[in-house]
Amino acid sequence: MSERFFLATPPRDGVAVLVGDEARHLARVLRAKVGDAVTVFDGRGQAWEATVAALGREKVSLDIGAAHPTETVGRRSLTLAVALPKGDRQKWMVEKITELGVARLVPLITTRGVAEATDAATARLERGVIEACKQCGRDTLMEIGGAESITGVLAAIAAETRKMIADPGGVPLAAPLFTEHDTSTAVLVLVGPEGGFTSAEVAAAEAAGATRVSLGHHILRVETAAIAAAARLA
Ligand code: SAM
């Protein structure tokens, strides 16, 4: 695979322009030259072959070539609502769950949560999603939603969504949770903070239709729990 770049603006009339971090990566880090071949993707499932047409300090123009087949998504889209861990662990989690194909991440507001989803933190996470997509070949960006409470996220989710709350005392997620006749088109999994969900939060999630699911015998850190759920469901 040639180097991949994210197009914030879709191509028009066979031409596209890289700006900001993407332009700097191509022009300054990789020292691209006119005529070099790259791959570009629009974050919405479409990618193209492209050739460098002109290089500036902050802007790179590309001639767009053949389109790749549009990326297909799985039968059920997975949303993870996670009480975000701090710093590098947050960044690492976003990279891994993007690679695993999670459709959407919602920062979860919980009683014992430690990290706030500020605008700057969200922007950093969105940059992490782009970096992961560039690296792993994913053409559809993982969406980062606005911060939500447990009841808020459960109320906002589509009706045909299977709802789960990660809880060490729940039913094993390894068990077949989807029957042949299951018509759900989406899955939502709630993952709690380092201090765990309060019993009131677990009760509220269950009252809103979430099943308690276990990810194994050991107590996992927040990011490990999110990745384990993604690996089983995405
Ligand atoms: N002391 C906390 C407790 O006992 O709940 C530990 C919380 S754990 C570090 C962070 C979150 O990861 C939990 O709230 C839960 O959502 C999820 N988690 C961790 N281990 C899990 C497991 N084995 N099964 C299901 N969920 C788990």
Side-chain angles (χ1 to χ4, degrees), residues 166-168 191-197 213-216 218-222 225:
D167 182 283
V191 178
E194 280 310 313
F197 286 119
V213 293
S214 161
L215 298 162
H218 300 150
I219 299 298
L220 310 174
R221 300 201 79 170
V222 179

Side-chain angles (χ1 to χ4, degrees), residues 46-67:
Q46 192 63 65
W48 298 263
E49 296 306 320
T51 310
V52 176
L55 287 147
R57 283 181 72 78
E58 298 291 330
K59 185 175 145 182
V60 176
S61 301
L62 303 164
D63 289 331
I64 297 295

Side-chain angles (χ1 to χ4, degrees), residues 2-5 7 14-18 22-28 30-40 48-57 59-65:
S2 61
E3 291 283 346
R4 288 165 49 83
F5 293 87
L7 282 180
V15 175
V17 178
L18 295 177
E22 295 302 276
R24 284 190 286 277
H25 181 197
L26 182 57
R28 297 200 210 165
L30 298 176
R31 297 174 184 277
K33 296 182 194 62
V34 170
D36 282 356
V38 295
T39 300
V40 290
W48 298 263
E49 296 306 320
T51 310
V52 176
L55 287 147
R57 283 181 72 78
K59 185 175 145 182
V60 176
S61 301
L62 303 164
D63 289 331
I64 297 295

Side-chain angles (χ1 to χ4, degrees), residues 21-156:
D21 288 341
E22 295 302 276
R24 284 190 286 277
H25 181 197
L26 182 57
R28 297 200 210 165
V29 180
L30 298 176
R31 297 174 184 277
K33 296 182 194 62
V34 170
D36 282 356
V38 295
T39 300
V40 290
F41 65 102
D42 66 357
R44 288 179 287 183
Q46 192 63 65
W48 298 263
E49 296 306 320
T51 310
V52 176
L55 287 147
R57 283 181 72 78
E58 298 291 330
K59 185 175 145 182
V60 176
S61 301
L62 303 164
D63 289 331
I64 297 295
H68 293 196
T70 307
E71 191 171 63
T72 50
V73 291
R75 183 170 155 217
R76 288 188 187 92
S77 78
L78 174 62
T79 296
L80 292 181
V82 182
L84 296 178
K86 281 193 166 176
D88 280 353
R89 291 169 49 207
Q90 190 179 106
K91 193 175 156 212
W92 188 77
M93 180 189 81
V94 163
E95 180 180 305
K96 301 307 164 206
I97 64 174
T98 303
E99 289 172 20
L100 287 165
V102 171
R104 188 159 165 259
L105 170 68
V106 178
L108 194 61
I109 302 167
T110 60
T111 310
R112 298 180 183 141
V114 289
E116 222 186 302
T118 58
D119 288 349
T122 304
R124 272 196 304 277
L125 295 184
E126 284 169 347
R127 188 65 218 161
V129 171
I130 292 171
E131 291 301 335
C133 286
K134 287 173 72 169
Q135 185 273 328
C136 77
R138 177 171 169 172
D139 293 331
T140 313
L141 297 184
M142 179 177 75
E143 186 190 333
I144 311 248
E148 288 268 18
S149 66
I150 292 172
T151 46
V153 75
L154 285 163

